[in-house]
Amino acid sequence: MTTLWIIEDNISFSHMIRTALNQSDWCKCEHEFTNVADALKLLSMGKSPDVILTDINLPGMNGIDGIKAIKSIVKEIEIIVLTVFDDNEKLFDAICNGANGYLLKNSSPDEILDAIKIVVDGGSSINAGLARKVFNIFSAMKQTENTYGLTKRETEILNYLVDGKTVNEIAKITFTSPQTVQTHIKNIYHKVHVNSRGGLVSKALKEGLVPKGVFTKN
Amino acid sequence: MTTLWIIEDNISFSHMIRTALNQSDWCKCEHEFTNVADALKLLSMGKSPDVILTDINLPGMNGIDGIKAIKSIVKEIEIIVLTVFDDNEKLFDAICNGANGYLLKNSSPDEILDAIKIVVDGGSSINAGLARKVFNIFSAMKQTENTYGLTKRETEILNYLVDGKTVNEIAKITFTSPQTVQTHIKNIYHKVHVNSRGGLVSKALKEGLVPKGVFTKN
DNA sequence: TTGAAAATACCAAGAATAGGGTATTTTTAT
DNA sequence: ATAAAAATACCCTATTCTTGGTATTTTCAA
């Protein structure tokens, strides 16, 4: 039996969902809350469900911050966002904060039940349309491929600069003279069109001239 | 009628898929290729399908680079990756390069047909397990929330530093003296534990002390 | 209203950087 | 084999940065 809590300030909508979900023989909605704080209170008293279905637009703490707050108390809870918002920012923030599913409010009870099953089975639930948005967010943050024609050595030195290393430190690392490093940096500045260390590091990171180390394996 | 190309070096597997998909009354596989180059050749001759199903591990150009190459010729083609790899890096790279679907090779013909239908309908196709991985990649790149106790003014100045501005420029912008700015920077250095401009900018961007402007609305 | 925190401002000196040169040696690709 | 590109190295100077101080005024929360 999968236990469920709902956080939703529209009580009639909440009741409707609860009634529909409780029709199933494997999912039981134990509590309904109209705000995050009440749910947190019960969580910190040691109670917790398998899954929480939460709205985003809520009185007091919003649902996005709610995800974070909930997870900080019980990390294992699967959280599914149920909202009318389908903009990139909400979607992005919800997922970043640890949501495991994202449903729109026009979803049918069956779709909601499917989503609950998916997250308890270790998957994440998102429909094809929203998945496209997620995919687009990813490809939008793709590195710009812009190398400004930096050579191998220049790229290597750029990496050290981004690490905050000084000219002398880099000279020691590369077994060259500080003057050589200085010359390389000078050439990098010209190629990248910057005139300060901070500007270079910033551009290098923002435009993906150096690896950012985004994720972990598997 | 949805037209399809397959890029897959395992010819018997490719044939099998083609035969299965052609059973449907709405999807027709027009061509099979064993490498990306052959597909690109036909694309540059003006031919193009609605959807391309591609492997990743291919002789010559790999499927990930293939996506980029294909999209650079015909941007509108929907590309679905069909591979045995389920690691984060391949998944991430494929999506970043513009894949609109990601299927594992153990998918059934029906699942592949579903995926094709989804992408031509403007969605993206990914199963719940892989979706969880995508979600996790997102949450892994979440900002660290670490502000190092920077004050409002310090954060403001940090933003200017990340923009590559000098002390004097910042002083003019903030209508304060260069000495004041210098003092703020000194304090920032102590709080953030760095001792160079490059190191500060790097840490600020990598740890999300300043906004990175990741995505676009909707 | 009354401390504490934040923001302001200045001094000074050694270190490092930015930007302008020039020039030789190595690599690399044709 | 040879020309072009890359890497190496040095000089010089004005500017900027880093880091240690001290000290006054504002702001803000208890």
Side-chain angles (χ1 to χ4, degrees):
Chain A
M1 183 65 83
T2 298
T3 55
L4 180 79
W5 290 3
I6 297 176
I7 307 176
E8 164 65 61
D9 62 330
N10 181 332
I11 300 175
S12 59
F13 180 72
S14 172
H15 279 3
M16 198 184 73
I17 301 282
R18 180 183 201 169
T19 307
L21 300 187
N22 279 344
Q23 303 285 299
S24 79
D25 56 358
W26 57 272
C27 176
K28 173 141 186 56
C29 177
E30 293 177 331
H31 291 286
E32 291 171 63
F33 304 92
T34 57
N35 60 75
V36 177
D38 289 349
L40 292 177
K41 203 177 296 171
L42 208 56
L43 278 175
S44 47
M45 284 166 60
K47 301 268 183 192
S48 75
D50 299 314
V51 180
I52 290 180
L53 212 59
T54 183
D55 193 6
I56 286 184
N57 193 23
L58 291 165
M61 183 185 291
N62 68 61
I64 304 283
D65 293 330
I67 298 172
K68 213 183 323 178
I70 291 167
K71 290 250 171 176
S72 72
I73 299 177
V74 186
K75 204 165 64 58
E76 298 76 23
I77 295 181
E78 300 292 331
I79 299 179
I80 298 174
V81 169
L82 181 60
T83 179
V84 292
F85 301 113
D86 69 341
D87 58 291
N88 281 355
E89 189 160 355
K90 296 269 191 341
L91 186 55
F92 182 82
D93 287 345
I95 297 176
C96 279
N97 279 317
N100 304 110
Y102 198 101
L103 293 174
L104 296 183
K105 280 201 174 171
N106 57 19
S107 303
S108 68
D110 275 352
E111 286 171 327
I112 297 175
L113 280 169
D114 282 346
I116 294 170
K117 181 156 276 314
I118 283 172
V119 298
V120 298
D121 286 347
S124 283
S125 168
I126 189 161
N127 73 37
L130 292 174
R132 171 74 67 141
K133 284 178 179 252
V134 171
F135 276 45
N136 286 342
I137 292 173
F138 260 97
S139 54
M141 64 176 128
K142 171 102 180 55
Q143 326 261 351
T144 39
E145 221 46 58
N146 229 337
T147 64
Y148 293 96
L150 293 188
T151 67
K152 204 170 173 183
R153 196 57 149 174
E154 285 165 353
T155 304
E156 183 193 350
I157 288 174
L158 176 55
N159 270 279
Y160 292 128
L161 290 178
V162 170
D163 271 357
K165 300 241 187 325
T166 66
V167 170
N168 283 301
E169 288 172 331
I170 297 173
K172 271 171 197 154
I173 295 169
T174 57
F175 299 105
T176 59
S177 81
Q179 288 90 341
T180 299
V181 175
Q182 195 68 60
T183 301
H184 282 305
I185 294 175
K186 197 195 309 180
N187 293 332
I188 294 171
Y189 275 41
H190 284 144
K191 287 182 179 178
V192 180
H193 304 302
V194 296
N195 61 346
S196 74
R197 197 59 60 88
L200 177 64
V201 172
S202 179
K203 208 161 183 178
L205 282 169
K206 284 181 175 170
E207 303 192 3
L209 270 41
V210 296
K212 282 181 273 194
V214 174
F215 57 87
T216 51
K217 299 278 170 200
N218 290 83
Chain B
M1 182 65 83
T2 298
T3 56
L4 180 79
W5 290 2
I6 297 176
I7 308 176
E8 164 63 61
D9 61 331
N10 181 331
I11 301 176
S12 60
F13 181 72
S14 171
H15 279 2
M16 197 184 75
I17 301 281
R18 180 181 201 169
T19 307
L21 299 188
N22 279 344
Q23 303 284 301
S24 80
D25 57 358
W26 56 273
C27 175
K28 171 141 187 57
C29 176
E30 292 177 331
H31 290 287
E32 292 171 63
F33 305 92
T34 57
N35 60 74
V36 177
D38 289 348
L40 292 178
K41 204 176 296 168
L42 206 56
L43 278 177
S44 48
M45 285 167 61
K47 300 270 183 190
S48 77
D50 298 314
V51 180
I52 290 181
L53 212 60
T54 183
D55 193 7
I56 285 184
N57 193 23
L58 290 166
M61 183 186 289
N62 69 60
I64 304 282
D65 293 331
I67 298 170
K68 212 182 326 178
I70 291 166
K71 290 249 173 178
S72 73
I73 299 178
V74 187
K75 204 165 64 59
E76 297 76 23
I77 294 181
E78 300 290 331
I79 298 179
I80 298 174
V81 169
L82 181 59
T83 178
V84 292
F85 301 112
D86 70 341
D87 59 292
N88 280 355
E89 188 160 356
K90 295 268 190 342
L91 187 56
F92 182 82
D93 287 345
I95 297 175
C96 280
N97 278 317
N100 303 110
Y102 199 102
L103 292 174
L104 295 183
K105 280 203 174 171
N106 58 19
S107 303
S108 69
D110 274 352
E111 286 172 326
I112 298 175
L113 280 169
D114 282 346
I116 295 170
K117 181 153 276 313
I118 283 172
V119 298
V120 298
D121 286 348
S124 283
S125 168
I126 189 161
N127 73 37
L130 292 174
R132 170 75 66 140
K133 284 179 181 250
V134 172
F135 276 45
N136 285 342
I137 292 173
F138 261 96
S139 55
M141 65 176 126
K142 171 101 182 55
Q143 326 258 348
T144 39
E145 244 9 86
N146 229 337
T147 64
Y148 294 97
L150 294 187
T151 67
K152 205 170 170 184
R153 195 57 147 175
E154 286 165 352
T155 304
E156 184 193 351
I157 288 175
L158 176 55
N159 271 278
Y160 292 127
L161 290 177
V162 170
D163 271 357
K165 300 243 187 323
T166 66
V167 171
N168 283 302
E169 288 172 332
I170 298 172
K172 272 171 196 153
I173 295 169
T174 57
F175 299 105
T176 59
S177 81
Q179 287 91 341
T180 299
V181 176
Q182 198 68 263
T183 301
H184 282 305
I185 294 175
K186 197 197 309 179
N187 293 332
I188 295 171
Y189 275 41
H190 285 143
K191 287 182 178 177
V192 180
H193 304 301
V194 295
N195 61 346
S196 73
R197 197 59 60 88
L200 176 65
V201 172
S202 178
K203 210 160 181 178
L205 283 168
K206 284 181 175 171
E207 303 192 3
L209 269 42
V210 296
K212 283 182 273 192
V214 175
F215 57 87
T216 51
K217 300 276 169 200
N218 290 83

